[in-house]
Amino acid sequence: ATANIGVVGLAAMGSNLARNLAHHGNTVALFNRHYERTEKLMDEHGDEGNFVPTESIEQFVAALKKPRTAIIMVKAGEPTDATINALVDAMEPGDIIVDGGNSYFKDTIRREKAIRARGLHYVGCGVSGGEEGALNGPSLMPGGTEESWKTLGPILKSIAAVAEGEPCVTHIGENGAGHFVKMVHNGIEYSDMQLIAESYDLMRRGLGMSTDQIGDVFDEWNKGELNSYLIEITSTVLHQKDAKTGKPLLDVIVDRAGMKGTGTWTVETALELGTSVTGIGEAVFARALSSQPQLRAGAQKAGLTGPDGSLSISDADRAAFIEDIRHALYASKIVAYAQGFNEISDGAKEYGWDIDMAAVARIWRGGCIIRAQFLNVVSDAFQSGEADVSLLFAPYFKKAVEQAQDSWRRVVARAAECGIPVPVFSSSLAYYDGLRSGRLPAALIQGQRDLFGAHTYGRVDAPEGAAFHTLWAEPGRPEIEE
Ligand code: NDP
């Protein structure tokens, strides 16, 4: 046995990860269900480092030095279970199985328990950064035991992206913690992308700007506090021309956003935990609405009326409105992160993980899709304890939102007037206003619930937890319960 690590599953992600491992001095055992992929990797990149190609799981396991460490990069779900089972049968207690796929964290919790019972370590590891990241440095979010981290940590550190001199990997927590954090990362990615899309829509339809002009605006924004990978690639997308028609490529792309499920998991999990992630939720629903062609075509046919999306803004006021949009984007982004981190914190409480939020923000600074300048200050806010309850309470972000909020309100108001949907801008503002309201209309809801269902309510002048019920005045007390 010569390999210190192995990769099972050599499609785009697995082969790039294997090459990255080899580039950093690891000897990498290779296995793929169909041998052709292994052959292809060896033919094309076999000279890039030390690889040990194998044709069966048994050969693969025999090629690994103890404790054997194998990273699985196959399709999530059933294929991952099949691969795990084959590996567990061939491996021995003390060995480490790493799932680098986008697995659902509850599957990871279940698998970790079963594999631990057989004396092996199981590490669910979130991998972000796509194919490019896998090759040149991803952001890595491993869960699993402390003991497995001792073996795995140095290997993962060698291949992770580097941000401000630090590798973008940290041991997130036990069992499913890594995949949980990766899931929320993807949820935040959904809201980041939707916020950028809403900004684009306001400039394109609202202000009648060209894709090139808007691309230039994003280039400018990328020089400031919004500096991030997603803002950068947005400019590239906007400037791209279609080879066939010469039009902006964006104008020939069908306007239906796809999704693979991690955003939905983020929202489902938030609903289970009772965490408010309105920004992420609206971003997922915006994609869902975009992908309902029948409904959308039906609306066109039915001729639903409303303003046409154009904003009547004079040329003189245009620059100021673009600046308003930038502020709205920044403030909403802060809310999206505040909500995402709240979900991580609520998940950690529910599942018994000790997650270092500052470290999570640090490992998202490089390699992953949401990498951004902004994460430096997010990390500082958690490090100092100022963001313990909410990122919005940390003085830096409190001030940022204060400075942005007049603009933010103007953008939401103007968007509503002109008929451009800005679900994440507006729901983020509603969340912010809900959060800071001393008294919410929830009292009225409690009154209604007590009237129709005797659900009881608390009183402002009674101790916390005391329950009261009123025999409400007729009419309006139906016989049925909720
Ligand atoms: P795919 O998700 O397309 O999976 C293809 C790989 O899975 C092949 O190696 C294939 O083997 C193997 N496979 C499929 N079914 C089985 C099975 N029943 N038993 C054994 N092996 C099977 O590949 P990607 O490289 O795109 O992604 C790999 C993993 O990484 C996925 O879980 C994905 O969600 C995750 N991921 C992907 C990212 C991306 O940007 N693409 C980013 C982060 C994570 P064969 O060649 O024999 O068919």
Side-chain angles (χ1 to χ4, degrees):
T2 55
N4 65 314
I5 186 126
V7 178
V8 180
L10 301 172
M13 289 296 287
S15 57
N16 279 358
L17 205 66
R19 288 170 63 201
N20 186 353
L21 284 160
H23 296 166
H24 290 91
N26 298 288
T27 299
V28 190
L30 304 172
F31 176 72
N32 192 73
R33 182 180 55 169
H34 293 102
Y35 189 63
E36 298 85 78
R37 279 201 208 269
T38 314
E39 264 182 327
K40 182 165 178 278
L41 175 57
M42 289 308 292
D43 287 348
E44 290 172 9
H45 305 285
D47 58 354
E48 290 177 12
N50 296 323
F51 296 106
V52 187
T54 68
E55 294 188 53
S56 69
I57 279 279
E58 290 71 25
Q59 270 183 21
F60 172 81
V61 169
L64 291 168
K65 289 195 282 196
K66 290 183 188 177
R68 301 181 188 90
T69 307
I71 304 182
I72 302 174
M73 287 306 278
V74 303
K75 260 194 203 331
E78 208 26 62
T80 299
D81 276 313
T83 308
I84 292 168
N85 290 340
L87 274 174
V88 172
D89 288 342
M91 287 173 122
E92 287 176 324
D95 291 347
I96 303 166
I97 297 174
V98 183
D99 172 16
N102 265 333
S103 294
Y104 183 41
F105 76 96
K106 287 185 186 172
D107 286 338
T108 304
I109 292 175
R110 165 180 63 78
R111 289 168 180 151
E112 198 275 340
K113 199 171 164 200
I115 289 163
R116 184 159 30 90
R118 296 181 64 171
L120 283 82
H121 296 282
Y122 185 75
V123 176
C125 181
V127 178
S128 179
E131 295 172 23
E132 205 272 334
L135 181 62
N136 297 316
S139 174
L140 297 168
M141 292 151 253
T145 58
E146 278 292 343
E147 202 186 330
S148 61
W149 173 243
K150 282 192 192 116
T151 305
L152 203 57
I155 301 173
L156 296 185
K157 281 181 184 166
S158 77
I159 60 161
V162 175
E164 320 257 333
E166 291 174 48
C168 294
V169 55
T170 189
H171 181 224
I172 303 282
E174 300 276 309
N175 55 61
H179 275 140
F180 186 95
V181 166
K182 171 67 190 344
M183 173 188 80
V184 176
H185 162 285
N186 285 26
I188 292 173
E189 180 182 312
Y190 274 62
S191 50
D192 254 356
M193 292 171 75
Q194 176 64 25
L195 286 169
I196 291 173
E198 291 174 15
S199 304
Y200 156 77
D201 208 11
L202 286 164
M203 286 187 267
R204 190 80 195 271
R205 284 205 285 159
L207 298 176
M209 292 165 67
S210 71
T211 49
D212 281 327
Q213 286 171 328
I214 302 170
D216 292 345
V217 169
F218 280 102
D219 281 334
E220 264 323 294
W221 289 0
N222 203 33
K223 293 177 188 155
E225 57 206 354
L226 285 173
N227 174 273
S228 62
Y229 172 71
L230 281 169
I231 295 279
E232 183 190 323
I233 64 164
T234 299
S235 161
T236 307
V237 172
L238 284 162
H239 284 301
Q240 187 83 31
K241 298 290 174 288
D242 175 34
K244 192 171 153 200
T245 60
K247 289 184 188 168
L249 182 59
L250 193 55
D251 288 354
V252 298
I253 296 178
V254 174
D255 61 345
R256 286 179 218 150
M259 44 186 168
K260 283 191 182 164
T262 45
T264 306
W265 289 345
T266 312
V267 178
E268 280 172 356
T269 305
L271 290 171
E272 281 172 21
L273 293 168
T275 316
S276 181
V277 291
T278 53
I280 302 169
E282 289 294 346
V284 171
F285 286 128
R287 287 198 197 186
L289 179 63
S290 80
S291 297
Q292 291 187 288
Q294 251 196 326
L295 191 60
R296 292 180 59 194
Q300 294 296 316
K301 208 168 150 214
L304 300 187
T305 59
D308 69 358
S310 58
L311 278 159
S312 48
I313 287 184
S314 68
D315 285 351
D317 293 336
R318 170 184 285 213
F321 191 69
I322 293 172
E323 186 60 5
D324 280 347
I325 300 172
R326 188 181 70 82
H327 282 302
L329 173 49
Y330 190 49
S332 306
K333 182 180 167 109
I334 295 170
V335 169
Y337 278 74
Q339 294 181 338
F341 275 101
N342 276 346
E343 180 164 353
I344 296 177
S345 148
D346 291 345
K349 268 181 228 136
E350 176 72 18
Y351 295 100
W353 302 315
D354 182 15
I355 299 182
D356 177 348
M357 303 290 176
V360 169
R362 275 200 301 276
I363 64 164
W364 287 350
R365 290 177 308 176
C368 64
I369 306 298
I370 63 172
R371 61 185 182 261
Q373 192 68 40
F374 158 88
L375 284 159
N376 279 310
V377 262
V378 174
S379 175
D380 291 346
F382 281 108
Q383 193 71 49
S384 63
E386 292 165 354
D388 276 356
V389 180
S390 171
L391 190 62
L392 288 160
F393 303 166
Y396 180 91
F397 291 106
K398 178 172 174 280
K399 190 161 163 238
V401 173
E402 267 161 21
Q403 284 171 348
Q405 72 170 292
D406 287 349
S407 294
W408 193 10
R409 292 180 194 287
R410 264 195 301 274
V411 167
V412 170
R414 297 304 301 266
E417 278 166 18
C418 83
I420 292 181
V422 286
V424 183
F425 280 166
S426 55
S427 66
S428 304
L429 181 57
Y431 174 83
Y432 178 72
D433 284 336
L435 196 61
R436 66 186 191 84
S437 294
R439 189 153 168 83
L440 289 166
L444 176 59
I445 293 171
Q446 285 298 83
Q448 293 165 334
R449 293 179 70 239
D450 189 59
L451 186 152
F452 67 65
H455 292 298
T456 75
Y457 54 88
R459 288 186 58 96
V460 293
D461 53 4
E464 182 75 33
F468 296 87
H469 171 56
T470 290
L471 274 179
W472 298 84
E474 298 284 0
R477 181 151 26 96
E479 305 299 321
I480 43 163
E481 299 245 313
E482 188 181 27

